[in-house]
Amino acid sequence: MKANLRHCARILLVLMVVALSATVQAERKLLDQVVAVVNDDVILQSELDARINTIVGRLRAQGTGLPPQDVLEERVLEQLITESIQLQMAERAGMRISDNELNETMASIAQRNNMTLDQFEQQLSQEGVTYREAREQIRNEMITSRVQQRQVGNRVRVTDREVENYLEATAGDGRSNAEYELAHILVQVEDFNDDEEVREARNKIERLREEIAGGRDFREVAVAESDASNALEGGDMGWRAENRLPSLIADVVPDLETGTVSPVLQNSSGFHLVMVMDRRGGEEAQVIEQSKVRHILVRTSETVSESQAEEAIRELYEQLQNGADFDALAREYSDDPVSGSDGGNLGWVSPGQMVPEFEQAMMEADVGELKGPFRSQFGWHILQVQDRRQQDISGDVRESEARQAIYRRKFDTELQNWLREIRDEAFIEFKNDDSGDASES
C-alpha cells in the first residue's frame, strides 16, 4: 500500500512538473509570439510592445493624447511592417550603419537637445526606453532613410524651368524668412476616379477638422487617423522656412493663427489639414562678406616630399615679395589646374566655402596682402585677397531654397507612392492571437 502511495505521489509530482512546464512555455509563447510574417522576416509581440512603449512615452512627453489601444497597436504594427520591408531591402543592398557613425548621431541628438549623453539616457529611461533600444531604433531609422533616398530620390527630378516658375510665382508676394513649426494630417486617396472613395475620404477629413476646431488635439488626431508616414510622430513636420513651404500650403500657412487648423486642402495624394504649432523669425537681409582671392598651391606627391614642397612654396613667396608677377607664377607653378590656368584666381569666395586653414588665412589677410605659406589638406598655399565686398545673396538663397522646396514636395509625394507600392508587393501574413490562424495581406 505504501509503495503504491509513493508511486502515485511520484506520478502526481511528474504531472505537476509537466503542467508547470507547459504553463511556462505557454506564457513565453504568449509573451513573444509571432504577430506577423513579412517576406523573410517576422515581427514578434515583444517588438510590437517595445515600439508601442516608445511611441507612448514620446507622445506623453509631448502632451499628446493617445488613441484607443487597438488603434495604436494596428498603426504601430503597420509601421513595423513597412520598416521591416525597407530593412530587408537595405540588407540585400549591403547597407550598414557603423557603430562609430551611430555613436556620433546619438551624441548629436543629445547635443541638439542640450543634454549630455548621460542626461539623454536618463530622459529615455523616464520615457520607458532603454538606451540600447533607442540606439537600435535610431540605427533602423538611419538605414530606412538611406533606402528611401536611394529608391525615391532616383525618381525625383527638379528642372531649371520648375525653379524659374516657382520663383516667378512667389516673386513680390511679400514672403519673409519667417519659420513655422508645422503638424500635418493626410487622408489618402488612391484613386480619384473612384467617387465612393473620394466621398468617404472627404467626409473623414471634414469630420476630423470639425473635431480639431472643437478642441480635439491635432497631434492626437494625427496619431490615430492620419495616413502620412509621420502620423505616429503626431504629424510633426518640424520647422519650415516660409520660402521653403510646400506649394500646397505656401499660401495658407502665413495667414494661419498659431494653433488654428487650416481649411481642407487637396492634392494628388488626398486631403490634408495643417496647423501652425509655433512661429519665429521675420524679415532680414541676407548679406555676407565675400573675398576676391587668388592663390598658388604646391602639392606633395610620390616625387615631391613634404620638405621639398615647403621649400618650393617659400621660394615662390620670396619671389612675390621681391615683385614677381602673381599671375605668371601661378600659371607656371601652381598645382591647382583650374585656378592655376587663370593666374590663381578663385573668384569671389563666401564664408564656409573653403577648408578651415584656407579660410582662416583669407579672413586674416588685408586687401592686397600676401598670406602664407600655410598648409592645408591639399598642400602648401600662398594667397592674396584682391578685394572685399558686402554681398546680398538673397537671390542665390531663394533659388537654392526653391529647388529644395520643389524637391521636398516631389519627394514626399513619391515617398507615399513608393511605401504603398512596397507594402502591396510584400508577402504579409498576420497571426491571430487566439486560434493561431493566419490571414494574408
Side-chain angles (χ1 to χ4, degrees):
M1 174 67 73
K2 290 182 180 179
N4 288 336
L5 287 175
R6 285 196 297 271
H7 180 66
C8 289
R10 281 199 299 271
I11 292 175
L12 181 60
L13 179 61
V14 169
L15 290 174
M16 290 175 63
V17 170
V18 169
L20 179 60
S21 176
T23 301
V24 170
Q25 290 178 3
E27 288 179 350
R28 285 177 179 171
K29 183 177 179 182
L30 180 63
L31 287 174
D32 214 14
Q33 63 185 341
V34 174
V35 293
V37 178
V38 184
N39 291 334
D40 299 326
D41 190 21
V42 296
I43 297 174
L44 302 174
Q45 184 67 48
S46 58
E47 294 177 272
L48 178 60
D49 291 341
R51 181 64 60 86
I52 289 173
N53 289 338
T54 299
I55 291 172
V56 167
R58 182 173 63 240
L59 293 175
R60 283 176 173 164
Q62 294 173 349
T64 300
L66 301 176
Q69 183 67 19
D70 60 335
V71 173
L72 184 59
E73 287 183 2
E74 180 181 353
R75 296 178 75 81
V76 174
L77 180 56
E78 280 298 322
Q79 184 187 70
L80 286 170
I81 288 170
T82 304
E83 183 180 292
S84 173
I85 297 169
Q86 295 175 83
L87 291 174
Q88 290 179 68
M89 294 174 70
E91 185 174 0
R92 289 194 296 271
M95 292 185 185
R96 298 287 187 274
I97 302 295
S98 69
D99 287 339
N100 286 340
E101 186 176 0
L102 183 58
N103 290 338
E104 290 174 1
T105 300
M106 297 297 289
S108 177
I109 292 172
Q111 185 177 20
R112 287 200 303 270
N113 287 276
N114 298 316
M115 299 180 187
T116 65
L117 277 175
D118 287 342
Q119 291 171 332
F120 185 37
E121 185 171 352
Q122 291 173 8
Q123 178 66 33
L124 290 170
S125 178
Q126 292 174 8
E127 296 176 8
V129 183
T130 68
Y131 187 73
R132 182 176 180 179
E133 290 171 343
R135 272 176 57 87
E136 290 312 304
Q137 177 58 29
I138 290 170
R139 188 197 298 270
N140 288 344
E141 290 174 2
M142 293 170 70
I143 293 174
T144 56
S145 177
R146 290 188 181 179
V147 172
Q148 292 169 8
Q149 286 296 330
R150 175 179 292 188
Q151 297 294 327
V152 181
N154 290 335
R155 300 184 179 193
V156 178
R157 295 290 182 272
V158 179
T159 67
D160 292 340
R161 185 58 190 163
E162 286 176 313
V163 174
E164 291 171 8
N165 290 340
Y166 182 97
L167 292 172
E168 288 174 5
T170 57
D173 64 1
R175 292 190 185 180
S176 69
N177 66 342
E179 293 182 304
Y180 303 90
E181 185 183 16
L182 302 174
H184 164 249
I185 291 170
L186 165 66
V187 174
Q188 188 169 281
V189 176
E190 294 190 12
D191 184 5
F192 270 96
N193 293 319
D194 186 334
D195 293 338
E196 181 63 24
E197 182 188 6
V198 173
R199 181 166 55 254
E200 290 179 1
R202 181 176 288 280
N203 288 341
K204 179 179 178 180
I205 198 74
E206 289 177 349
R207 171 179 60 81
L208 297 179
R209 187 180 186 281
E210 289 178 3
E211 292 176 2
I212 294 167
R216 188 178 177 192
D217 183 71
F218 190 99
R219 295 190 187 277
E220 177 186 345
V221 175
V223 173
E225 306 282 0
S226 178
D227 295 322
S229 58
N230 63 356
L232 289 173
E233 286 73 53
D236 181 32
M237 293 177 65
W239 285 93
R240 299 288 182 96
E242 185 170 334
N243 50 13
R244 293 180 59 189
L245 293 173
S247 57
L248 178 67
I249 62 175
D251 295 329
V252 176
V253 166
D255 296 327
L256 274 180
E257 295 291 334
T258 301
T260 301
V261 64
S262 72
V264 173
L265 306 170
Q266 178 182 340
N267 68 2
S268 60
S269 298
F271 298 104
H272 307 254
L273 297 173
V274 67
M275 177 177 284
V276 177
M277 313 306 289
D278 198 0
R279 66 181 70 210
R280 66 190 181 194
E283 190 65 40
E284 292 180 4
Q286 300 187 63
V287 178
I288 62 172
E289 183 179 71
Q290 293 181 320
S291 303
K292 188 177 182 182
V293 184
R294 57 183 180 177
H295 84 137
I296 297 173
L297 170 67
V298 176
R299 298 180 187 273
T300 60
S301 67
E302 293 181 358
T303 58
V304 179
S305 68
E306 182 73 24
S307 61
Q308 289 173 326
E310 183 177 0
E311 182 180 355
I313 199 74
R314 292 193 182 280
E315 288 178 1
L316 292 172
Y317 184 74
E318 185 175 348
Q319 291 182 49
L320 289 170
Q321 285 186 315
N322 292 331
D325 183 64
F326 196 108
D327 183 289
L329 290 182
R331 290 179 188 275
E332 184 173 357
Y333 295 108
S334 180
D335 290 330
D336 180 349
V338 176
S339 70
S341 63
D342 190 26
N345 289 317
L346 294 170
W348 289 100
V349 177
S350 301
Q353 196 172 335
M354 297 298 183
V355 295
E357 300 85 355
F358 193 100
E359 180 158 341
Q360 181 178 350
M362 179 181 72
M363 299 307 295
E364 291 175 353
D366 294 328
V367 173
E369 178 187 359
L370 289 172
K371 195 72 174 178
F374 63 91
R375 185 77 164 85
S376 81
Q377 66 193 66
F378 299 107
W380 287 90
H381 304 259
I382 302 166
L383 69 76
Q384 184 180 49
V385 175
Q386 298 175 284
D387 199 2
R388 282 206 170 93
R389 69 182 183 186
Q390 299 294 314
Q391 181 71 8
D392 184 353
I393 60 168
S394 300
D396 295 334
V397 171
R398 280 195 297 272
E399 181 176 337
S400 174
E401 290 176 341
R403 192 173 296 276
Q404 291 178 36
I406 296 168
Y407 178 87
R408 176 49 57 186
R409 182 186 70 219
K410 288 186 170 185
F411 185 91
D412 289 345
T413 300
E414 285 298 325
L415 177 60
Q416 293 298 323
N417 294 337
W418 179 74
L419 290 174
R420 187 165 60 247
E421 288 173 14
I422 63 173
R423 173 65 169 78
D424 291 342
E425 293 170 359
F427 172 79
I428 300 167
E429 185 179 8
F430 296 96
K431 300 293 186 179
N432 295 335
D433 293 340
D434 299 328
S435 64
D437 295 336
S439 61
E440 294 184 9
S441 173

